[in-house]
Amino acid sequence: MTDLLQLMKERQSSRTPFDPKAPVSRQDLQQILEAGSWAPTAHNMQNFEALVVDDNKILKQISEIEFPVSKSFIQENYLQLSFSEEELQCKKTGVLATMFPKSWLKPNQIPLKIQNENTDSQTERHHQLLSCTALIMLLYDPAKRAPASEGDFLGIMSIGCVLENMWLMAASLGIGLHVVSALSAEEPEMKIKKMLDIPDFLKIAISFRLGYPLFSPKYLRVRREIGGFAHINHYGKLGLAD
Ligand SMILES: Cc1cc2nc3c(=O)[nH]c(=O)nc-3n(C[C@H](O)[C@H](O)[C@H](O)COP(=O)(O)O)c2cc1C
């Protein structure tokens, strides 16, 4: 039990370059996929397909796609930022501002600055994508919703379970994983679907790059204590103590 909790705590986002000379083996990819296949899904619908890309030429083509950043992303992302480690430690949710390009940190100066700085974040993303030796995309069919689940809320949660199973397996194999949600944005998704023959009716739910980090990602990771989110018997009675 302790080992499982330890693994969960050690799993982290590897926002680092991966070693291009150390490809993730097909055997390890298989284990990651198998872990995903055993995830719980609403009504056991197993409402996903996984597209694995480990061909360097295709990875390079994907890395060359432009990823426009929307205003709403900048504005909503801003709300999750802490501008110092002390602030993040105090808030216990969100992420450090330092991990984003400077223009993403000033929601009021969006239009001009994003354009100017897009090149930097774009370049960084290219490097990140180029340095990964495998990319997995979880695809789903939005028309096949979980029974009576409005907006397929349950189906989408199911894909989250699949992602977590895969992430934990990757962590246990010493493989870094970094979610790149930007591939699901309208324009990149359209291009990737065309490039990889993904049928129109499928959506890219989530994508993540895999590899062996060239250095260990070191950044402050925070979580709320149980007393910060768990209520006992009645809402508002925080923590588990009587
Ligand atoms: C659905 C989902 C989407 C995410 N999208 C991104 C992303 O696009 N880029 C990124 O760097 N991290 C992304 N993350 C990672 C989270 O930012 C990260 O899990 C969170 O900050 C906690 O950090 P940790 O993974 O190191 O524990 C995503 C995570 C989830 C579950």
Side-chain angles (χ1 to χ4, degrees):
M1 207 51 142
T2 315
D3 287 349
L4 181 56
L5 185 58
Q6 194 55 35
L7 178 67
M8 287 170 172
K9 287 182 175 177
E10 284 167 8
R11 176 222 55 79
Q12 63 179 314
S13 295
S14 297
R15 296 186 191 93
T16 56
F18 295 146
D19 185 349
K21 295 193 189 97
V24 178
S25 70
R26 287 269 168 104
Q27 198 185 359
D28 283 348
L29 286 170
Q30 191 127 1
Q31 291 232 60
I32 292 168
L33 293 170
E34 194 176 350
S37 78
W38 281 101
T41 54
H43 294 257
N44 193 24
M45 283 176 72
Q46 301 174 52
N47 59 335
F48 65 96
E49 312 241 353
L51 178 50
V52 182
V53 181
D54 67 353
D55 177 323
N56 284 335
K57 262 195 251 151
I58 304 178
L59 287 169
K60 184 166 183 300
Q61 280 171 1
I62 295 176
S63 78
E64 280 161 4
I65 294 174
E66 285 190 15
F67 301 92
V69 183
S70 69
K71 267 189 197 183
S72 61
F73 174 85
I74 300 285
Q75 280 163 344
E76 288 165 28
N77 183 54
Y78 182 79
L79 301 176
Q80 304 308 326
L81 300 181
S82 282
F83 290 85
S84 68
E85 292 204 344
E86 292 69 35
E87 187 187 349
L88 185 60
Q89 239 144 7
C90 190
K91 274 197 198 162
K92 294 192 166 65
T93 63
V95 287
L96 267 183
T98 45
M99 67 174 71
F100 296 105
K102 284 199 193 101
S103 64
W104 295 21
L105 316 181
K106 291 178 188 159
N108 298 331
Q109 295 179 21
I110 294 164
L112 189 65
K113 281 220 141 199
I114 284 181
Q115 288 213 323
N116 289 347
E117 250 190 353
N118 232 357
T119 337
D120 288 349
S121 53
Q122 195 80 33
T123 312
E124 192 181 323
R125 196 168 281 137
H126 286 176
H127 286 320
Q128 286 184 338
L129 277 169
L130 271 177
S131 78
C132 80
T133 56
L135 181 74
I136 296 185
M137 279 167 264
L138 296 181
L139 313 174
Y140 82 113
D141 178 354
K144 279 193 196 157
R145 67 169 196 180
S149 173
E150 204 167 317
D152 198 23
F153 183 66
L154 299 177
I156 291 163
M157 277 182 76
S158 303
I159 292 171
C161 295
V162 175
L163 168 66
E164 178 68 350
N165 266 24
M166 291 186 168
W167 206 334
L168 288 172
M169 178 54 82
S172 81
L173 294 168
I175 294 169
L177 186 153
H178 173 203
V179 176
V180 190
S181 320
L183 301 193
S184 303
E186 204 177 331
E187 278 181 53
E189 186 191 45
M190 223 168 53
K191 291 181 182 158
I192 292 170
K193 281 167 76 168
K194 202 167 167 204
M195 195 184 282
L196 306 181
D197 306 317
I198 301 171
D200 259 0
F201 67 91
L202 290 175
K203 270 204 72 64
I204 302 176
I206 198 93
S207 314
F208 46 89
R209 48 190 283 274
L210 295 161
Y212 294 93
L214 279 175
F215 50 85
S216 175
K218 288 249 179 310
Y219 56 90
L220 180 64
R221 297 173 64 233
V222 293
R223 293 299 191 266
R224 293 173 295 166
E225 274 121 40
I226 292 168
F229 64 88
H231 308 244
I232 184 83
N233 295 322
H234 289 276
Y235 186 88
K237 196 167 180 305
L238 281 164
L240 293 187
D242 281 325

